[in-house]
Amino acid sequence: MELPVLNAAPPAAPSGGCTSHACGSTDDQMGHLPEHIRQKVYNHPCYSEQAHHYFARMHVAVAPACNIQCNYCNRKYDCANESRPGVVSEVMSPDQAVKKVMAVAATIPQMTVLGIAGPGDPLANPERTFETFRQLSEKAPDIKLCVSTNGLTLPDCVDELAKHNIDHVTITINCVDPDVGAKIYPWIFWKNRRIRGREAAEILIAQQQMGLEMLSERGILVKVNSVMIPGVNDAHLVEVSKIVKAKGAFLHNVMPLIAEAEHGTYYGVMGQRGPTHEELQQLQDQCAGDMNMMRHCRQCRADAVGLLGEDRGQEFTLDKIEAMEIDYAAAMVKRAEVHAQIEQELSLKQQARTAQAELAALQAQSPLAASARPVLMAVATKGGGVINEHFGHAAEFLIYEASGHGVRFIGHRKTTPYCEGGDTCGDGESALDQTLRVLKGCEVVLCSKIGYEPWQPLEAAGIAPNGEHAMEAIEEAVAAVYEEMRVAGKLDLPVAEQKVA
Amino acid sequence: MAFEIIESCVNCYACEPLCPNQAIYQAQPHFLIAAEKCTECIGDYMEAQCVSICPIEGAILDEVGVPLNPPGSLTGIPPEILAGLDRQGTAAVLP
């Protein structure tokens, strides 16, 4: 079977005109990975930007204990409506978790990946974590297993990880400098003692780096997560990116700090701000010179279920799972069919994308087109790689950049759905105001439909609402709208002054 | 001579496997220490193990009821700010 190509290489610089995946463009998230790695990640929603529109993942919260404290985490916190790492509704036993995974896999055949991500550190709960993996690799061999960790006990766990055939590990590495680390980690638990400050950071960093090297040696894929904390590690993360790449990490995911006073975290209550969308994008672009960057991460809960950006956890609470009869052998047959369908669809899309990329490359050879300014566009989608979400129902927008060099995915921005927002949210800001703020910098918003009411405020803010490309493939639609703007002479003008603060 | 786990425990399990005397056990609504088994780790470790890994300030008390990890000692959040947070109900719901 030919593997569907994941993310079309954007057409290379105008002079080159190369559209092959080997041409080394760093915009292409998966394109230049070695074939054996692409085989492992093409259907992993967390690793492949393309796959995340089609394949689903789930986390099981079997690992409540943690062995370090991070300033962006509050161990007391739980909320059914919050979506961020470290948050769960119910901790489960390995047996319960296995039952849940099989129930979800049978109900949502697109689910390809099971991760253990907390709510504590999975490797600080080795018995519970590995018992879950052991049972699943036996009972549900068609599910990929992965784990994320702060890395403190990783070197001790590498052999056990290899035994369970876990081929993906995520390590959260926020720094390689203990002086930076001392501002992020107040303490670690190490060799039967609580250790604080710089000494703690030094140990943690050494363990993370050793764990990364050991995993690389064994051919286990490593993704590195970093939390971008303005004024603490933002400048430093460029160096982190270089080092982890040199040690074999295949993907770097720079995520924005989430810090709100009501979360009760140190950073939240002390007023540490998170990065703006622009700052995050700038850092990701800086790091991209050195390695594959991941831009579609949704920073999901430690018990999330479904496509990235959605959470169907409420359909699979413990009491509901108890009532479900699962015939996993039958489910596996169904799952294989669904996966084959998706792969075929991806493959067809890829052919279309390659053709489009070649065309765009030709167009880009005209000096006029290549010099045209880039435009950011926001897209409302429920998944599937098409524009299929109503503006008022969108809880997030995907951001794409169109330029003379093609279309590239930049990231996603969350908001409160306009139709569900009520009068105000947060500190007196209406849901529409929030969306307008979130869309800052975008000149177009593409959605399947948009009501009359938000139309005028969007235009007034310099963001053109566009419902004309409903159900079309996102990248084609973005390219088409960009072409319309070019023909209309809008690209010759400077970016319209946006009125949103 | 024994420590005590109180209601602010979030049931994270971290302390349970560390106890050299198996004095800590899961209970509802939170983990407990069997007073007759607890030695405060004297003779086994330099530092009491449950106290050294517990992430929740104030969740473990000494034999006279004083928090072993007082407010602000683990998170670095000044106690006066913490007091305000607790009033807002930043409570634990882990089972």
Side-chain angles (χ1 to χ4, degrees):
Chain A
M1 182 199 79
E2 197 181 286
L3 189 74
V5 183
L6 291 173
N7 201 348
S15 57
C18 156
T19 57
S20 98
H21 292 280
C23 72
S25 163
T26 51
D27 283 352
D28 178 4
Q29 191 190 40
M30 293 290 152
H32 74 266
L33 290 176
E35 188 59 25
H36 71 280
I37 294 183
R38 291 208 298 125
Q39 284 282 358
K40 284 182 177 178
V41 299
Y42 82 96
N43 65 352
H44 194 309
C46 306
Y47 291 164
S48 160
E49 197 261 310
Q50 174 87 339
H52 96 275
H53 294 298
Y54 302 91
F55 292 106
R57 54 73 182 104
M58 71 179 290
H59 290 160
V60 284
V62 296
C66 197
N67 46 16
I68 71 173
Q69 176 70 49
C70 304
N71 281 335
Y72 45 75
C73 183
N74 174 6
R75 301 304 314 285
K76 292 188 205 173
Y77 203 84
D78 170 82
C79 173
N81 301 318
E82 272 288 326
S83 182
R84 61 193 167 87
V87 171
V88 295
S89 293
E90 49 192 355
V91 169
M92 17 181 96
S93 70
D95 290 344
Q96 289 170 324
V98 167
K99 208 161 177 185
K100 178 173 178 178
V101 172
M102 294 173 72
V104 171
T107 315
I108 308 177
Q110 299 89 331
M111 195 277 274
T112 48
V113 171
L114 176 274
I116 299 182
D121 184 73
L123 302 183
N125 302 254
E127 287 85 13
R128 299 163 64 90
T129 295
F130 289 122
E131 173 60 16
T132 308
F133 285 146
R134 193 192 57 72
Q135 286 194 37
L136 282 174
S137 45
E138 188 187 306
K139 294 179 186 169
D142 63 337
I143 297 176
K144 282 177 187 291
L145 305 176
C146 52
V147 65
S148 63
T149 178
N150 61 41
L152 183 61
T153 62
L154 179 56
D156 302 332
C157 296
V158 167
D159 288 335
E160 187 75 20
L161 286 167
K163 211 189 290 174
H164 292 284
N165 200 21
I166 292 156
D167 52 18
H168 306 80
V169 175
T170 296
I171 315 174
T172 300
I173 299 180
N174 295 316
C175 55
V176 290
D177 175 347
D179 290 316
V180 175
K183 296 178 196 158
I184 302 173
Y185 308 104
W187 58 263
I188 66 170
F189 181 80
W190 177 248
K191 299 201 167 156
N192 300 98
R193 287 175 55 212
R194 197 188 312 262
I195 296 176
R196 298 168 189 267
R198 191 180 190 283
E199 186 191 358
E202 207 164 6
I203 295 165
L204 177 63
I205 291 166
Q207 290 290 103
Q208 289 171 336
Q209 295 297 321
M210 192 198 303
L212 167 57
E213 287 165 24
M214 291 170 73
L215 289 170
S216 298
E217 278 164 20
R218 284 163 179 75
I220 299 175
L221 289 186
V222 182
K223 165 171 134 268
V224 168
N225 277 354
S226 300
V227 180
M228 176 184 183
I229 310 159
V232 175
N233 71 345
D234 46 351
H236 180 57
L237 284 178
V238 178
E239 188 190 350
V240 170
S241 205
K242 280 196 184 107
I243 290 174
V244 299
K245 187 199 180 184
K247 293 193 176 173
F250 85 106
L251 191 60
H252 191 195
N253 177 22
V254 176
M255 306 177 290
L257 171 71
I258 301 175
E260 302 294 338
E262 62 267 30
H263 297 159
T265 62
Y266 174 83
Y267 284 145
V269 302
M270 301 306 281
Q272 167 68 48
R273 71 173 182 93
T276 63
H277 296 302
E278 291 84 358
E279 288 170 333
L280 177 67
Q281 189 188 324
Q282 199 180 13
L283 177 61
Q284 288 175 333
D285 286 346
Q286 263 178 295
C287 294
D290 296 292
M291 93 176 298
N292 286 315
M293 290 300 297
M294 174 164 156
R295 298 173 194 263
H296 65 280
C297 175
R298 299 299 198 283
Q299 295 174 283
C300 37
R301 293 162 58 101
D303 59 2
V305 174
L307 290 169
L308 297 202
E310 78 171 0
D311 189 358
R312 297 176 59 180
Q314 290 308 308
E315 295 168 43
F316 303 97
T317 52
L318 284 177
D319 48 333
K320 287 178 187 157
I321 298 164
E322 281 305 320
M324 293 166 87
E325 280 291 326
I326 303 299
D327 175 355
Y328 201 76
M332 279 219 283
V333 175
K334 168 79 179 156
R335 287 167 52 76
E337 284 169 14
V338 170
H339 295 175
Q341 272 169 19
I342 296 174
E343 280 163 30
Q344 198 189 0
E345 192 184 332
L346 282 173
S347 170
L348 287 172
K349 284 209 165 155
Q350 189 49 48
Q351 288 167 16
R353 288 156 69 100
T354 307
Q356 186 218 348
E358 278 165 8
L359 183 68
L362 280 174
Q363 288 168 346
Q365 283 174 359
S366 114
L368 198 90
S371 64
R373 68 181 176 85
V375 170
L376 289 187
M377 300 191 202
V379 174
T381 174
K382 287 189 255 218
V386 293
I387 299 166
N388 57 0
E389 181 68 291
H390 191 295
F391 174 80
H393 297 164
E396 65 168 13
F397 292 90
L398 303 191
I399 309 299
Y400 287 79
E401 183 195 74
S403 72
H405 304 302
V407 175
R408 68 173 183 141
F409 176 69
I410 296 286
H412 66 96
R413 299 180 186 175
K414 287 182 189 164
T415 187
T416 305
Y418 166 65
C419 292
E420 297 163 23
D423 292 338
T424 57
C425 63
D427 34 11
E429 182 185 48
S430 77
L432 183 58
D433 286 343
Q434 187 195 6
T435 300
L436 289 174
R437 180 167 53 77
V438 159
L439 295 182
K440 184 169 176 257
C442 299
E443 295 179 53
V444 178
V445 58
L446 290 156
C447 48
S448 64
K449 260 189 176 172
I450 180 163
Y452 173 74
E453 225 174 292
W455 194 280
Q456 204 273 329
L458 275 167
E459 283 195 326
I463 306 165
N466 186 325
E468 287 162 27
H469 295 271
M471 300 315 293
E472 289 179 22
I474 293 171
E475 290 172 26
E476 279 84 341
V478 169
V481 172
Y482 187 68
E483 179 60 16
E484 285 165 23
M485 291 177 76
R486 190 184 67 80
V487 171
K490 289 184 185 165
L491 302 184
D492 307 331
L493 305 169
V495 185
E497 189 63 29
Q498 295 204 334
K499 290 175 194 156
V500 188
Chain B
M1 187 177 80
F3 294 155
E4 184 193 355
I5 296 176
I6 63 168
E7 69 281 357
S8 51
C9 166
V10 296
N11 293 300
C12 82
Y13 289 74
C15 58
E16 190 265 348
L18 295 175
C19 178
N21 305 306
Q22 287 82 47
I24 301 175
Y25 60 98
Q26 191 175 11
Q28 291 303 327
H30 56 77
F31 280 79
L32 291 172
I33 296 175
E36 70 281 7
K37 290 187 181 172
C38 175
T39 60
E40 302 181 1
C41 290
I42 289 168
D44 288 302
Y45 295 102
M46 291 298 289
E47 295 176 12
Q49 294 300 286
C50 56
V51 177
S52 298
I53 200 164
C54 181
I56 305 300
E57 293 161 353
I60 305 178
L61 308 180
D62 69 11
E63 68 271 21
V64 292
V66 175
L68 287 151
N69 291 308
S73 66
L74 301 182
T75 58
I77 301 172
E80 59 276 15
I81 297 182
L82 272 178
L85 282 181
D86 287 342
R87 277 198 301 277
Q88 286 167 21
T90 315
V93 201
L94 288 178

